């Protein structure tokens, strides 16, 4: 009798695993063709969830994570992606609303090491409020930032794309404050690359 139970156990265990697998697959969603009008998150139109992305996923390319205005420009952050190499790349667009040529000179920073960067986003920083740490733009051994340099400046009414690369905050840090120059800080959500 003991032998009978032992020989039947793998079959029962196998059936249990198969049942769990079927239940797990059944809960993974369907064809995305939900016409029941149930109002689930999967069936919401793009207008209802605009600007919201599932935690950790990359936002759509045209999503605006944050916007800040000052220094005669409007700075938009559209992406903050942590990669597996331990870096966080923040990018977006800057629009000159000053009425004059904007060179970005006030964004290069005051440190003597940064003076060779010209008009750039070299003085940008990230603040992890939970971890109580500040992260500066990465630099090479010559003090050149791993960031956009605004060669020739930006004419009034024109825009330019920018990026800045930082050491990545810990994996549990999902939001940081991004700041450059005297612009007000902008809270941004980090996505995984």
């Amino acid at each position: 009798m003991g032998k009978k139970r032992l020989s039947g156990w793998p079959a029962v265990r196998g059936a249990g695993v198969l049942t769990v697998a079927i239940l797990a697959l059944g809960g993974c969603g369907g064809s995305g063709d939900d016409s029941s009008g149930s109002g689930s998150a999967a069936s919401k139109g793009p207008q209802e969830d605009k600007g919201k992305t599932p935690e950790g996923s990359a936002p759509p390319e045209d999503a605006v994570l944050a916007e800040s205005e000052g220094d005669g420009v409007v700075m938009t952050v559209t992406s903050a992606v942590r990669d597996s190499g331990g870096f966080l790349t923040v990018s977006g667009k800057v629009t000159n609303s000053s009425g004059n040529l904007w060179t970005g000179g006030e964004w290069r920073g005051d440190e003597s090491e940064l003076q060779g960067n010209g008009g750039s986003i070299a003085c940008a920083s990230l603040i992890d409020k939970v971890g109580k740490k500040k992260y500066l733009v990465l630099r090479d051994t010559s003090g050149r930032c791993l960031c956009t340099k605004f060669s020739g400046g930006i004419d009034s009414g024109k825009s330019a794309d920018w990026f800045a690369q930082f050491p990545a905050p810990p994996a549990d840090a999902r939001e940081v404050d991004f700041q450059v120059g005297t612009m007000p800080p902008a809270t941004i959500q980090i996505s995984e690359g």
Side-chain angles (χ1 to χ4, degrees):
M1 192 165 191
K3 248 185 177 174
K4 210 171 197 184
R5 258 206 250 153
L6 289 176
S7 65
W9 170 245
V12 170
R13 185 178 63 186
V17 170
L18 180 60
T19 303
V20 169
I22 290 170
L23 289 174
L25 288 174
C28 287
S31 64
D33 196 355
D34 184 11
S35 56
S36 66
S38 65
S40 69
S43 66
K44 287 184 180 177
Q47 293 298 324
E48 293 172 35
D49 277 343
K50 189 170 185 178
K52 294 183 180 179
T53 57
E55 187 171 316
S57 67
E61 283 186 32
D62 61 348
V64 174
L65 298 180
E67 196 170 78
S68 188
E69 192 170 345
D71 294 340
V73 296
V74 176
M75 178 196 63
T76 305
V77 180
T78 56
S79 173
V81 180
R82 181 188 351 246
D83 65 32
S84 59
F87 302 106
L88 177 71
T89 304
V90 181
S91 57
K93 185 175 288 211
V94 61
T95 303
N96 179 1
S97 58
S98 70
N100 301 307
L101 177 70
W102 182 81
T103 62
E106 60 276 9
W107 284 11
R108 75 172 174 216
D110 293 330
E111 295 173 54
S112 58
E113 182 183 65
L114 297 176
Q115 298 308 303
N117 284 295
S120 68
I121 198 162
C123 76
S125 64
L126 297 176
I127 305 292
D128 173 7
K129 292 185 282 193
V130 175
K132 298 183 182 352
K133 289 190 178 180
K134 181 177 185 176
Y135 298 88
L136 302 176
V137 173
L138 292 169
R139 304 162 193 173
D140 66 17
T141 55
S142 301
R144 289 183 300 243
C145 71
L146 293 164
C147 67
T148 297
K149 295 176 182 80
F150 301 108
S151 302
I154 302 171
D155 289 324
S156 180
K158 301 288 183 183
S159 297
D161 293 329
W162 61 266
F163 83 95
Q165 196 167 43
F166 300 87
D172 61 346
R174 293 285 178 205
E175 283 189 347
V176 289
D177 281 353
F178 176 81
Q179 186 169 22
V180 61
T182 58
M183 302 285 281
T187 302
I188 55 175
Q189 182 181 354
I190 297 174
S191 58
E192 303 300 323

